[in-house]
Amino acid sequence: MHYAIIAAGQGSRLRNEGIDTPKPLVRLGGVTLLERLIGIFRSRPDCEAVSVIINPEVQAFAEASDSPLPWAGADNLVVASTPGSMHSLHRLSPLLRATGPRFCLTTVDTVFHPAEFDAYLDAMHADTQADGYMAVTTYIDDEKPLYITISTPAESMITGFFDTPLPDARHVSGGIYALPVSSLDILDDCMAAGETRMRDFQRALVAAGMRLRAYNFSRIIDIDHASDIPKALSLLSI
């Protein structure tokens, strides 16, 4: 499995709240968000490679500090400024295509319990019907959640992604994606069409007929605000 981390965002909301450290270098329990994810991925027996995209500001900040570079455990590093997560994935896609047949992607600010993550990947590997696995949660603590509808609770195949809640949409996207390399062809189409958001890519996957199974996590925390840091620490202490 090729693991990938999108860490090229600006973290402007954290900066506006007084946290000057770039988001990938924010620490939880003494470990940066980026180091934490690389460590989780590296601990997986299926890990073949870890790729990371950061922006030049993150690189300059880390190199000016006395601490070790947090991407030292990554196999591939891309340094680039991008307008959004979908464009960051597109910059990583040549690396992901080179290993195949699947990859697991997350953004750097996504915090989850490692035991749930292991169960999620193990279930994906054992599943012979789904094309991909999308992490979801019923814990909604996001400014702009992406709501998900599924076929049936037993089957849990994703039928749609929505910006607004629907009566039958109990889950939201958790920002962790385990997908086949063939999904990157759909990403190319999205880029050619001028799409800009990861949620547009996810909608395109469903529209293309890709069978995506929703896998529920008890909680997933996105580090968007300073107040999210103690929530994430609470989650990891369970």
Side-chain angles (χ1 to χ4, degrees):
M1 176 72 73
H2 194 139
Y3 291 89
I5 304 168
I6 293 175
Q10 298 298 322
S12 56
R13 285 172 289 190
L14 288 174
R15 185 175 291 110
N16 291 339
E17 294 172 4
I19 297 178
D20 294 329
T21 304
K23 185 185 286 189
L25 307 180
V26 168
R27 293 181 178 273
L28 288 180
V31 180
T32 68
L33 294 175
L34 189 50
E35 286 176 302
R36 178 179 177 273
L37 284 175
I38 291 175
I40 291 172
F41 297 161
R42 278 291 183 196
S43 70
R44 290 277 310 168
D46 61 0
C47 181
E48 299 172 292
V50 178
S51 293
V52 176
I53 180 170
I54 61 170
N55 63 41
E57 178 189 3
V58 173
Q59 184 181 44
F61 189 99
E63 291 177 347
S65 69
D66 295 330
S67 59
L69 299 181
W71 47 82
D75 300 284
N76 305 290
L77 177 67
V78 176
V79 181
S81 295
T82 67
S85 294
M86 197 178 83
H87 289 75
S88 293
L89 174 57
H90 195 250
R91 291 295 300 267
L92 289 171
S93 61
L95 300 172
L96 304 177
R97 289 182 187 274
T99 52
R102 291 177 173 177
F103 64 91
C104 180
L105 171 79
T106 184
T107 51
V108 75
D109 60 349
T110 301
V111 179
F112 48 83
H113 199 283
E116 287 191 307
F117 182 74
D118 282 339
Y120 157 77
L121 265 298
D122 291 346
M124 184 274 297
H125 283 304
D127 195 327
T128 60
Q129 296 181 338
D131 297 313
Y133 262 52
M134 311 294 269
V136 303
T137 181
T138 56
Y139 176 80
I140 303 175
D141 186 26
D142 197 312
E143 293 175 348
K144 296 179 180 179
L146 180 61
Y147 295 90
I148 292 173
T149 53
I150 60 175
S151 52
T152 65
E155 188 181 41
S156 294
M157 288 297 180
I158 294 175
T159 56
F161 295 92
F162 302 92
D163 293 329
T164 56
L166 299 178
D168 56 343
R170 297 182 55 249
H171 300 84
V172 295
S173 174
I176 309 171
Y177 322 96
L179 296 170
V181 168
S182 60
S183 67
L184 298 174
D185 295 335
I186 298 171
L187 175 68
D188 290 342
D189 293 338
C190 289
M191 293 290 294
E195 303 287 359
T196 59
R197 302 183 301 171
M198 279 293 288
R199 56 186 59 194
D200 296 322
F201 170 51
Q202 293 175 74
R203 292 185 180 109
L205 294 176
V206 172
M210 191 160 285
R211 290 174 59 82
L212 304 175
R213 198 181 302 279
Y215 187 93
N216 189 59
F217 282 61
S218 60
R219 279 190 293 165
I220 296 176
I221 307 291
D222 287 339
I223 307 295
D224 292 323
H225 297 280
S227 60
D228 293 325
I229 295 175
K231 295 176 187 177
L233 290 171
S234 175
L235 169 61
L236 297 179
S237 68
I238 296 175

